[in-house]
Amino acid sequence: MSGDAVPPELDRKLGELAALAAAVEPGVMRADLATLERRTTALLSEEHTLLSSLQSLPTHWRVGVVLTLSAAATIGALVLRPRADLVGYPALRMAGTLVLMFAITAAASARLLRPLHLPPPSRALGHVLLVAGAFVPALLALIPSHAGAPAGAGAELALGCGRCLLFGALLALPVLVVSFALRRARVDGAAVGALAGVAAGLTGNLALQVHCAINDSVHLLLGHVLLLFIAIGAAWLWRRHEATS
Amino acid sequence: MKSDEELMAAYVNGDQRAFAELFERYAPMLVRLMRRQIRVEDDALELVQQTFLQLHRARLDFEEGRKLRPWLMTIAFNLKREYFRRRKRRPEAPLEFEPPASTRTHPVERRADIERVRTALDSLPEGQREVIAMHWFEELSFPEVAQILGLTVSAVKVRAHRGYQALRTALEKLDTVTPDDAQHNTHMKAGHER
C-alpha cells in the first residue's frame, strides 16, 4: 500500500520488504498453518465444559450474572435479615448509598469482563474504579447518621465487626469467584484484576447496608469497609498468582 | 464466495466448516502480524491460536452489521499487548531470534535487508509501530486502524505520518552503518536491556 502519508523513498523500501517477506513466507506458512490448525482444533474441542459455556455468553449476560448475584445477596439480606432500624433509616440516604455502590459494582464488573474485541480503554479507568470502589463506602461511613444500634467498645466492638465481616465475606465470596471465572482470558493488569474484589467487596457492603443496624463510623469502617480492602487484596493476590503461574 | 461476516454468522449458528474457512482466510495474516514483532516463534503461534480461541468465545458478541476483520484484529492486538505487558519489556531479542527455516536459504544480503528494516521498525515507539504494521503491512484502512486502537481517524493519521517519518530517518541511519556494525550495535542493545 502506498498511502499519502508514506514518503516515496520509504514506500520503495517497504515495498522491497513486503516482496522479501512474500518470497520467504509461503513455504513456512504451509507447514506452520497445518500445525496451528491442529492445535487450534484441539483447543476448541475442550470448549464444552460448563465454565467455557459461561465464558462464551454474550458480554452483557456475563456482567448480568455478576450483578444478579450481587442484587440477590442484597435482596436476600433485606428479606431474610433486615436491619432493625430499617423503617427509621433515612430513605434518601439508603437509596443513594445502594444506588451508588451498585453502580460502582456494575462499572467494575463491566471493566473486568470487557471483551477483547473492543479497543482497550484508558488505563486510568481501572484505577479510578478501584479507588472509587475502595473509598466511596469509606466516605459514606464517615458521614454522620442517626444513632442506630450501639457498636460497643473493646471486645464487644471487635465481636460486632467480626460478625459483619464474616456475614459480608460469605456473600462476597461467590461474586469474587464468579467474576474471575467469567473472564474469557487472563489479560489486564493487577488493577483491573482487583476490580473483582471491588465487585465482591461492594456486594458484601450492599448486603450489610440493609442488614446491620449499627451506624457508628468505627464499626462501619472496621466491620464493613475493611471487607472491601480484604476482597481487593484477595483479588490482587489471585491475579498475581495467575500471572506467575 | 461467502463474506467473512456471513461465515461468522454461520459459525455462530454452529457451522464448523465456516470456522475452518475463517481460519484459512485469517491465520496467515495473523501469523505474519505476530511474527513481525514477536521473535520467539512458539509464542507468536500460541498468540494466533489464542486469537482464534477468543474468536470462538466471543462469537455470541459479534453483532450483525459489524466487519469481522477489525473485530478479529482488535482481539489479536489486545493479546499481543498483554504478551508484551507480561514480558515487561519490548520484544527485541535478536540473540534469541531463530529465523524461519526458509529464510535461512536466502542470500545473506536479503536477510540483512530484512533485519535492517525490522531493526528500524523496532526502534519506533509502540503506538507508531502498531499503526504502520496495520496500515502498511496488513493494508487496513485508517478508519479500521482507528477502530482497532480505539482512536480517532485523525489521531491515527498523525501517528502514521510521524511513524513513517521516523522510520525513514531510522532507515537512513542504518544505511550509513555496515551490517556488521548494525549487528554489533543490536547485540549491545540487547545486552543493555537485559
Side-chain angles (χ1 to χ4, degrees):
Chain A
M1 178 187 289
S2 49
D4 334 338
V6 190
E9 178 60 16
L10 180 59
D11 190 47
R12 186 183 64 73
K13 280 184 187 293
L14 288 172
E16 284 170 5
L17 175 71
L20 286 171
V24 298
E25 280 181 341
V28 181
M29 297 293 279
R30 274 194 292 277
D32 285 346
L33 290 179
T35 310
L36 191 61
E37 190 166 13
R38 271 200 306 278
R39 282 163 54 179
T40 306
T41 307
L43 193 66
L44 293 186
S45 69
E46 292 168 11
E47 290 285 298
H48 296 298
T49 61
L50 174 65
L51 182 61
S52 56
S53 302
L54 289 171
Q55 288 169 343
S56 293
L57 287 171
T59 296
H60 57 275
W61 280 46
R62 291 184 298 135
V63 175
V65 167
V66 176
L67 296 185
T68 303
L69 270 179
S70 184
T74 311
I75 294 168
L78 180 65
V79 172
L80 301 175
R81 306 285 299 274
R83 59 189 294 158
D85 64 342
L86 188 63
V87 179
Y89 195 90
L92 197 60
R93 177 167 177 158
M94 175 62 83
T97 302
L98 294 180
V99 167
L100 192 57
M101 288 204 281
F102 196 71
I104 298 171
T105 305
S109 302
R111 175 62 194 93
L112 180 74
L113 301 177
R114 184 180 174 89
L116 286 173
H117 57 81
L118 295 179
S122 152
R123 229 178 243 181
L125 177 65
H127 291 99
V128 167
L129 286 171
L130 193 57
V131 171
F135 291 102
V136 164
L139 291 175
L140 290 171
L142 294 174
I143 299 172
S145 181
H146 72 285
E156 195 185 349
L157 174 69
L159 191 63
C161 292
R163 275 195 198 125
C164 279
L165 277 177
L166 187 62
F167 181 83
L170 286 174
L171 296 169
L173 191 60
V175 174
L176 185 68
V177 173
V178 168
S179 294
F180 271 124
L182 286 172
R183 289 172 308 155
R184 289 177 182 153
R186 294 174 176 185
V187 297
D188 295 318
V192 176
L195 291 177
V198 170
L202 282 174
T203 297
N205 270 261
L206 281 162
L208 286 168
Q209 174 68 20
V210 296
H211 164 71
C212 174
I214 300 172
N215 294 325
D216 177 67
S217 290
V218 176
H219 172 85
L220 291 176
L221 288 173
L222 295 179
H224 298 199
V225 176
L226 183 60
L227 172 65
L228 257 163
F229 288 90
I230 292 171
I232 289 170
W236 185 82
L237 286 175
W238 187 329
R239 180 71 192 92
R240 192 175 164 209
H241 171 71
E242 276 182 350
T244 53
S245 63
Chain B
M1 193 171 79
K2 283 186 177 175
S3 70
D4 293 345
E5 291 71 31
E6 286 170 334
L7 284 173
M8 190 62 189
Y11 182 55
V12 170
N13 290 322
D15 183 353
Q16 295 301 315
R17 284 170 306 175
F19 181 84
E21 177 70 27
L22 286 171
F23 185 91
E24 201 172 306
R25 284 187 194 182
Y26 279 102
M29 178 202 263
L30 291 171
V31 171
R32 280 199 309 274
L33 180 83
M34 296 303 182
R35 273 185 180 158
R36 198 164 296 127
Q37 285 180 263
I38 297 167
R39 307 252 176 129
V40 181
E41 181 72 2
D42 281 350
D43 289 357
L45 295 182
E46 169 71 19
L47 284 181
V48 176
Q49 198 178 316
Q50 287 298 321
T51 303
F52 282 106
L53 175 65
Q54 290 302 322
L55 175 143
H56 169 79
R57 287 185 177 167
R59 65 195 184 284
L60 297 178
D61 273 337
F62 188 75
E63 296 157 4
E64 200 178 328
R66 290 201 70 161
K67 286 281 180 195
L68 182 69
R69 190 164 72 154
W71 192 85
L72 187 60
M73 294 288 276
T74 309
I75 293 176
F77 267 85
N78 280 332
L79 287 171
K80 189 155 64 74
R81 272 206 192 97
E82 167 63 12
Y83 173 83
F84 290 146
R85 198 187 60 76
R86 280 193 184 188
R87 288 172 64 102
K88 298 277 186 189
R89 63 183 177 87
R90 281 174 52 183
E92 296 83 5
L95 289 173
E96 297 168 13
F97 176 52
E98 185 67 14
S102 65
T103 63
R104 286 184 220 130
T105 63
H106 276 258
V108 173
E109 63 272 19
R110 296 191 104 193
R111 276 193 275 134
D113 280 349
I114 293 175
E115 269 311 294
R116 198 149 47 226
V117 180
R118 278 192 165 201
T119 305
L121 273 171
D122 288 347
S123 70
L124 300 183
E126 190 185 350
Q128 294 174 3
R129 194 172 56 220
E130 276 182 347
V131 169
I132 289 179
M134 283 189 269
H135 176 236
W136 209 91
F137 292 102
E138 300 309 333
E139 302 192 350
L140 292 169
S141 66
F142 281 131
E144 282 180 316
V145 177
Q147 188 182 331
I148 291 166
L149 296 177
L151 300 169
T152 64
V153 176
S154 308
V156 167
K157 282 182 176 173
V158 168
R159 275 194 196 184
H161 180 72
R162 287 181 182 160
Y164 285 129
Q165 295 291 352
L167 188 55
R168 183 169 63 174
T169 308
L171 281 171
E172 280 168 0
K173 272 185 193 163
L174 286 171
D175 281 347
T176 61
V177 179
T178 65
D180 286 345
D181 288 342
Q183 196 175 23
H184 174 73
N185 289 343
T186 316
H187 286 200
M188 291 293 284
K189 182 183 169 197
H192 181 69
E193 280 178 356
R194 287 188 184 92

